[in-house]
Amino acid sequence: VDGELFVPWLKPGSYTLRAYLDRNKNGRFDSGIFLARNQPEPCQYYKEKIQIRANWDLDLAWTNLRW
């Protein structure tokens, strides 16, 4: 899925990125329920931490997502 993310309130610093596939489309990550045998929604982490700098744009290509 192609997309763009704009986060104006993000402060400068080092961050880890995680993407998840929202299968039930409720807008949040569901970790699953063991006793009900519900699987968690799949998620993947970006290969390295990213650095956010003040007044800079950051373009990333995250091409290795496998759902």
Side-chain angles (χ1 to χ4, degrees), residues 37-56:
R37 296 179 166 233
N38 290 347
Q39 293 289 319
E41 292 175 323
C43 68
Q44 293 185 25
Y45 289 87
Y46 190 67
K47 61 187 171 192
E48 56 196 39
K49 286 189 175 186
I50 62 165
Q51 286 295 114
I52 300 297
R53 298 173 67 180
N55 302 315
W56 283 64

Side-chain angles (χ1 to χ4, degrees), residues 57-61:
D57 290 337
L58 178 64
D59 291 325
L60 293 174

